[in-house]
């Protein structure tokens, strides 16, 4: 069996850098906050790895790109934006207690970034390694997708340092995911004097919700879940407008096509109601085949490591869909992503840093 050396990683130094990143809040779409965050990420990368981390400007916030030089061989992929609004840190400050690090973004996914950086710092040679830390993953990666795909194709292998699956497993497959917005246009009228003169957008939306829910095929992994709805203006007015937002998850390209076609074909039940659909399955499914080779190496490095297929999407969906070998969930072990109880298990940080380092070493030795 091939063996790979472990690297010398300081847990104290990792926690110091994690505190630094967490204490710079970085909510998606807040361009000022994201700039400060990107500059901080770049400073940590440069301090630990040397060289220059470049800020890639765009409308979604600055991305951070670093290269160890030489022929590209492996891309470390992550993001520095979080779902938490400014002010969360005051309510939930970074702290380490009872073996857990807590604070906004520790698990998703600042802990994974820190572990990867420190794992790489322990390698003697960083040629062929690239790091890309994007600014808009939590809101769809619209400004970063092209750059992600470009660097993934150039490197030929991708290690995604998103948080681990439950129990510390890596993520060997992900569902494709997307959001649809179904808008209904009706006609307002007085709800008491002449309700029949209106076209009730809320009633039409109720019909649409039942049609939409019926599109789900859980037996093949397709979930279709209405999540947000709004309608009406006043309690005595027949609503002229209604909107339903729908979360969709699929495991195959065929189901993606079926769902998108079905949403495009939605038809009104009420005369004169008009249906408009926006959105789609923006992240393609990440097939397990894309992770198979890298997962086999990871199992050798960390015997007993489990691979999981999960419902959530990541930027690894994009790279895997291109046919680039991609292994996800290599970041922090913990839980509570996007929630107030988010946490990282401190005892796993050194092991995960070594896992990333070992995979990079193996990929470059192949």
């Amino acid at each position: 069996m091939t063996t790979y050396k472990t690297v010398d990683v300081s847990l104290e130094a990792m926690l110091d850098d994690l505190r630094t990143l967490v204490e710079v809040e970085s909510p998606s779409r807040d361009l000022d906050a994201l700039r400060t965050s990107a500059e901080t990420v770049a400073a940590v990368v440069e301090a630990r790895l040397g060289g220059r981390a470049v800020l890639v400007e765009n409308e979604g916030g600055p991305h951070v790109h670093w290269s160890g030089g030489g022929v590209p061989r492996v891309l470390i992929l992550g993001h520095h934006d979080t779902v938490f609004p400014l002010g969360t840190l005051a309510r939930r400050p970074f702290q380490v207690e009872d073996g857990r690090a807590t604070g906004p973004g520790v698990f998703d996914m600042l802990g994974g970034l820190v572990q990867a950086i420190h794992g790489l710092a322990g390698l003697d040679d960083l040629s062929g390694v690239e790091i890309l830390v994007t600014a808009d993953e939590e809101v769809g990666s619209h400004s970063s997708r092209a750059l992600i795909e470009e660097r993934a194709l150039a490197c030929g292998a991708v290690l995604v340092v998103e948080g681990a699956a439950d129990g510390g497993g890596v993520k060997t497959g992900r569902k494709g995911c997307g959001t649809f917005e179904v808008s209904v246009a009706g006609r307002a009228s007085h709800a008491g004097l002449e309700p029949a003169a209106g076209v009730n957008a809320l009633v039409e939306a109720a019909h649409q919700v039942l049609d939409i829910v019926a599109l789900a095929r859980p037996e093949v992994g397709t979930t279709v879940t209405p999540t947000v709805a709004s309608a009406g203006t006043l309690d005595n007015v027949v609503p002229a407008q209604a909107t339903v937002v729908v979360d969709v998850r699929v495991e195959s390209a065929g189901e993606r096509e079926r769902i998108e076609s079905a949403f495009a074909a939605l038809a009104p039940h009420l005369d004169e109601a008009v249906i408009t659909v926006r959105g789609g399955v923006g992240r393609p499914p990440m097939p397990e085949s894309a992770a198979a080779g890298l997962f086999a190496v990871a199992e050798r490095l960390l015997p007993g490591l489990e691979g999981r297929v999960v419902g959530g999407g990541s930027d690894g969906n994009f790279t895997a869909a291109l046919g680039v070998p991609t292994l996800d969930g290599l970041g922090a072990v913990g839980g509570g992503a996007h929630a107030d109880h988010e946490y990282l298990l401190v005892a796993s940080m050194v092991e995960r840093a070594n896992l990333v380092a070992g995979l990079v070493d193996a990929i470059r030795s192949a």
Side-chain angles (χ1 to χ4, degrees), residues 38 53-67 72 74-80 130-137 140-158 283 315-320 322 324:
V54 177
L55 267 57
V56 183
E57 305 290 347
N58 65 90
E59 67 275 11
H63 312 313
V64 181
H65 181 244
W66 178 91
S67 172
V74 56
L75 177 66
I76 308 297
L77 183 57
H79 64 89
H80 65 96
E130 293 191 16
I131 299 173
L132 178 58
V133 186
T134 65
D136 64 345
E137 192 274 345
S141 304
H142 301 295
S143 75
S144 57
R145 180 174 181 174
L147 179 60
I148 291 166
E149 292 177 339
E150 173 196 312
R151 298 323 306 158
L153 288 168
C155 291
V158 178
R283 293 186 191 272
D315 288 335
N317 290 56
F318 298 135
T319 64
L322 294 172
V324 178

Side-chain angles (χ1 to χ4, degrees), residues 26 80 82 90 105 110 136 142 155 185 216 232 239 248 291 326-327 355:
S26 54
H80 65 96
T82 70
L110 303 175
D136 64 345
H142 301 295
C155 291
V248 172
T326 301
L327 187 58
L355 179 58

Side-chain angles (χ1 to χ4, degrees), residues 187-218:
R187 184 172 59 247
S189 66
H190 195 293
L193 296 178
E194 47 180 1
V199 177
N200 195 315
L202 177 55
V203 172
E204 179 61 54
H207 285 293
Q208 294 299 320
V209 165
L210 295 177
D211 291 346
I212 289 165
V213 168
L215 298 175
R217 288 184 180 172

Side-chain angles (χ1 to χ4, degrees), residues 108 137-138 160 162-165 171-178 221 223 247-251 283-287 308-318 328-329 337-338:
D108 187 12
E137 192 274 345
E138 296 291 5
V160 186
E162 290 276 5
K171 297 171 182 178
T172 53
R174 287 184 179 272
K175 290 185 179 182
C177 52
T223 60
D247 177 277
V248 172
R249 311 281 164 147
V250 297
E251 288 186 1
R283 293 186 191 272
M286 174 183 166
R308 304 277 183 86
V309 177
V310 298
S314 83
D315 288 335
N317 290 56
F318 298 135
D328 205 335
H338 297 189

